[in-house]
Amino acid sequence: KLSQLALFLFPTMALKPQDLYLVAYNSACCVGWALVLALTVSTLVKGVPEDGLKETLANVYSTENLAMLLTYSQSAALLEILHSAIGFVRSPVIVTAMQVSSRIFALAAIVYSPESQVQWGAGLMILSWSLVEVPRYLFYIMAIITGDATKKTPFPLFWLRYSLFAILYPTGIVGEVTVFLASANDAAFGGLHGAISFFYSVALPVIYFFGSPFMIMNMVGNRKKAFKKRFAKPPPPPRGLVFPLDKAGTRSSTPVNKTIIEAAIRASNPELADKVAKASGWRFKYVKFLTSMVEDSMKSPKAALDIAQAGLDKAYEVFQFVAEDGTSVSVKEVMASKSKEQFKTGFIKGEGAPAKKVLEIPYNGKTLSGQELKDQVQKWVDYGTIEPSAGDAIKACVDNPGYLDLSDKYFVLLGAGSAMGPFLVLMALGANVVAVDLDRSGIWKRLISIAKKSPGSITFPMTKEQAACKDEDAICEVAGCNLFTQTPMIRDWLIDLYPGKKFTVGSYAYLNGALHVQVSLAMDAICKDLTEKRPGTSLAYLCTPTDLHFIPKEANEASAAHYKDFSKKPYCILMGLLGNGKFLRKNARKPISGEGGEFYYVNGISVAQGPNYALAKRMQHWRAIIARSKGCIVSSNIAPSTSTVSVIQNRTFAWAYEGMPYFKPYEIFAPETSNAVMSAILFYDLSDSKSAGNPKTKLANPNQLFQWGSFHGGTWRCAYEVDSIGEASVFIYFGRVAAPYVGIVVAAGAAVAAKYFGYF
């Protein structure tokens, strides 16, 4: 009780040293800005009645002690760049550096330019800054102490943090620009050197003019997200497949994630597993342990399969399945029993013209087929965007129209409506699709509408007999299911569906964060039982390029060659120096020796995607190699970086995607192109006995399954690891966007220089 009272009275006692430091830092900054605000307000209160607002604002900077406090308080913000760079906070280091540097430019101007100090904009800038910073730092303090920036911070503080910008950003920007212009014309500052005068009188105002709307709209977006999250309805009671409760009574993903990886590693390397168990700060260390786990899997086929089996066994053991009455058992237990309820089956046959059985790939506004498609595939291969084996697979589909005869093929799509799934391609080719997706009418209206216009058919679960539905809308209302809450029921329905038909089961459902792990395990539970209880079942996965993969020696050598070329480029040299090892890390690695020879691999993991994403994809890897080892055909190929809505809604990813093609041989693909090429490789895997997905094809290591047929988009052969080119790619994007404005600045600068030197 005493300890609980102590934590209530002194909440910082429960904080880690890093958080204690951040509380101290934010407190110091808050006090500094509060003093600046107090002195500013005091000057305004005393001066406005006698001298007026404009004159009083011009006198703010001369207030006793204000200049010193302003300099110290704003200069302390330089530490925020360091905090971002070393991972103390999650803010992007480049964005933080840009925000802080703009303030530092303004601070330098007002400190060293007497003329800028005595004009009204100086006081407006100081007032705006201090009114923004006091609640901002208070908000950060409370966010750290409460542990939840969105829901647990006091609402008045929360409101101020996400509302004041609407007034204070414009006033602050106006004040800063007046300071820039005044200092540029001050002989004591900008007048000493033409470059300084140009920078402050032309470059910075132009940058502010075009950049300010983006900054303000970014805050508008952040405000909408924050308020939506704060006032979101509480989630319903947990049901179905969920993370287990921890000692604190919460369902945290981190301990579970760590436990599963520890169990997988322990199957091959107990000493390393002990280190995993003791590791703290999992979000920033998981990549190191996953890398070691992949290296351990190179020892032998047995090691690879033991790791995979141990990891999945632990997942089935720790994850829980909560019934409607609130009782829970492990996923392993619930999947061992048959569901008491059963789905009804819906079926709709398409009315479209017979399929052409011709492979067509939409690309850059054209639809490629035949020789034109083969030529484009070869261009991708030659450039290094895809592996030769992927190119061969696509060409084989062009040359063998029989691979595209899907009239007697059955595809179970878990997540049928997924943006990266093959639903559209399968329907167009006349396949029989068993669609599994959420019980939302909008989803089924879309899927059924597509199916009716196609030569294929769609089968789907229903909670009511199809014959009892008066029309298509009624069918859509009772169609669908929930992978989380009805996992055993879906499994039972699929096992009994279309006896004697061979299913290809594709796992395409995707969700953000910890939900991705849950849906991956739910799909895995279904896949596991179907491969064991339905003879001839094959599996299909889409692997992400942002993962750890075995790669061919040739891909490693190409990456090394690109590194040799790019490391000489001035831009890459500069980014390497700025990143201090974080930016532009070499992609090519030395091979690891194991049973069967030397193996090469690539580390494509993006730390920003987090350990849950990595675990969700790793579980699919594990199931793929286990199923193949037991005689199943498994199509598990690497898809390229694709501009899906779920990805580009994150502005940072969208900006990076625009700049990534600078790093040869990257190419970012549209969803329709990715869908078509990955479907073609799937058809090849199912039809050609030489495919790596066919268990009759000998592999030196089970994980070489992912080495062949990769349409990685350039990740494997790029000079640098994908996680190290994000910032550099964003800069390239903004450089291109700013190019027209830079031209304006240069032209204006030339005019200023011409006038300065007396040419007109």
Side-chain angles (χ1 to χ4, degrees), residues 393-406:
I394 298 171
K395 292 176 186 177
C397 287
V398 175
D399 295 336
N400 295 276
Y403 290 1
L404 306 180
D405 183 359
L406 308 181

Side-chain angles (χ1 to χ4, degrees), residues 53 219 237 256 393 698 729:
L53 178 60
M219 279 301 298
V256 176
K698 291 186 177 181
S729 298

